[in-house]
Structure formats: C-alpha cells, structure tokens
Amino acid sequence: QQIFQSSDAHGGQYAAEIKTEFLGDSVGIMTGAFSNAEFQFDIGALVGGTPIDEALGYSGGEPITAQVDSVSAWIKMDANNTDDGAILVQAVKTYQGSNGDSTVAVGEGYFTIPSATTTTYTQFAVPLNYPDPNAVPDHLVVVFTSSSIIGTQTVDNSMKVDDVSYSYAGPNSIWQPLFSEKKLLVYPVP
C-alpha cells in the first residue's frame, strides 16, 4: 500500500499520505503517487526495463473551462526522508481522432519539494506555463509524488498532501478546491 489517510492534517480532519515502497523483485522500488486522475501502468514495460515516466499514463482529471493560473497545496515531508518529492500539473486538451481520443498537454507546471526543509506543513504554488496563450484546456491533472519519478527512490520516503486548490488566470479568479475529503478513490483496488 502506498497511499494512506493521515490524521496529521493542515486543514480539516485528514490529509493524504503517500509513500515510496518496494513492490517486489519484478517492479522494485516505486514512488508513491496521489492524483486527481486515474493512473495506468504498463507493468510489462517496467519489468522489461522501460523508464517509469514512459510506462505511466493517466486518464481523467478535473474538468476545467479556461487556463488555470496555478495549483496550490500544503505539503509536509517526513523528517527522515532522503528523496525530494514533486508536484506535476498539466492542463490538457482532448482531441477526437479516427483512432480514438488523445490528450495533449497545453499547459504545464512542475515543482520539486525539498525533503530536508519541508518537515512542517508548507504551502507551495505551482504556476502553469502555456506556450500557446490562446490554448483552452478541458481537464486539469495534478500529480504528487513521494520521491522523484526519475532517479533514485528510497523506501519509506513519505509526503502528506492537504488543502489542494487551483485558480483560473485573471484578476477576479478565486481558489477552487481540488480534492474533497468526502470522495477519494484509490487505485488499484485489491
């Protein structure tokens, strides 16, 4: 198990806690991930030596109607961590094609969470960059990882995530909550 409910929360009763764990000899050490999208892993590719960032896909996310300016979250890393965590944000657009739908990231943001300096809840805001200022995304995907996806990962590296929100671009934007304590789906379901 890599995702837990933690009573050590910034706001409300609970926070999500993710951990990097050893998942057996075939897979090895895998960073914990928490997202508003559903992950798809190509286990065969992982076992065959494909880098994790190439064997990972996702679907879903938060429906949006305009460019998101930034995503904010309160993060707490374990004092014993040796790996930095990360937040990856993508604003995606879905295109219908003759071979099915495909999604393209039209805006992105990334932030490394330093392990040694984030042992109390600290707010991080990840701005999104849009190469095309006229691009209109239809979904927002946010991924938190307990260790970097690329590079070394250490078993039991952990990150708590709470009070995640986003804001649209523009002067009159308000922060929208992204996760709710009332509904949280965890994959895979045993």
Side-chain angles (χ1 to χ4, degrees), residues 76-137:
K76 181 179 180 180
M77 302 291 277
D78 188 275
N80 296 319
N81 283 3
T82 57
D83 303 344
D84 292 337
I87 306 171
L88 169 67
V89 182
Q90 290 188 326
V92 298
K93 175 107 177 128
T94 305
Y95 294 95
Q96 274 88 36
S98 58
N99 293 331
D101 293 350
S102 63
T103 56
V104 175
V106 296
E108 292 184 307
Y110 183 85
F111 195 84
T112 299
I113 309 297
S115 64
T117 59
T118 315
T119 56
T120 60
Y121 273 103
T122 305
Q123 186 177 28
F124 291 93
V126 181
L128 276 79
N129 177 42
Y130 294 88
D132 176 356
N134 299 314
V136 180

Side-chain angles (χ1 to χ4, degrees), residues 5 63 72 78 88-89 121 141 143 146:
Q5 175 179 289
S72 171
D78 188 275
L88 169 67
V89 182
Y121 273 103
V141 175
V143 181
S146 55

Side-chain angles (χ1 to χ4, degrees), residues 5-172:
Q5 175 179 289
S6 174
S7 59
D8 181 3
H10 174 264
Q13 290 184 311
Y14 303 108
E17 182 174 8
I18 51 179
K19 287 188 176 185
T20 302
E21 295 291 351
F22 179 73
L23 299 182
D25 293 332
S26 317
V27 177
I29 298 172
M30 178 76 70
T31 185
F34 175 57
S35 178
N36 65 331
E38 183 178 337
F39 288 110
Q40 292 101 32
F41 288 102
D42 184 342
I43 297 295
L46 282 174
V47 172
T50 300
I52 188 170
D53 58 321
E54 294 176 23
L56 172 67
Y58 56 82
S59 62
E62 176 80 5
I64 56 175
T65 58
Q67 289 187 357
V68 168
D69 180 59
S70 62
V71 172
S72 171
W74 288 85
I75 305 291
K76 181 179 180 180
M77 302 291 277
D78 188 275
N80 296 319
N81 283 3
T82 57
D83 303 344
D84 292 337
I87 306 171
L88 169 67
V89 182
Q90 290 188 326
V92 298
K93 175 107 177 128
T94 305
Y95 294 95
Q96 274 88 36
S98 58
N99 293 331
D101 293 350
S102 63
T103 56
V104 175
V106 296
E108 292 184 307
Y110 183 85
F111 195 84
T112 299
I113 309 297
S115 64
T117 59
T118 315
T119 56
T120 60
Y121 273 103
T122 305
Q123 186 177 28
F124 291 93
V126 181
L128 276 79
N129 177 42
Y130 294 88
D132 176 356
N134 299 314
V136 180
D138 51 36
H139 284 85
L140 180 69
V141 175
V142 182
V143 181
F144 298 90
T145 62
S146 55
S147 298
S148 175
I149 291 177
I150 301 171
T152 304
Q153 296 145 0
T154 307
V155 172
D156 290 334
N157 215 69
S158 73
M159 171 195 285
K160 292 180 180 76
V161 179
D162 204 4
D163 297 329
V164 182
S165 59
Y166 66 95
S167 68
Y168 286 108
N172 298 322

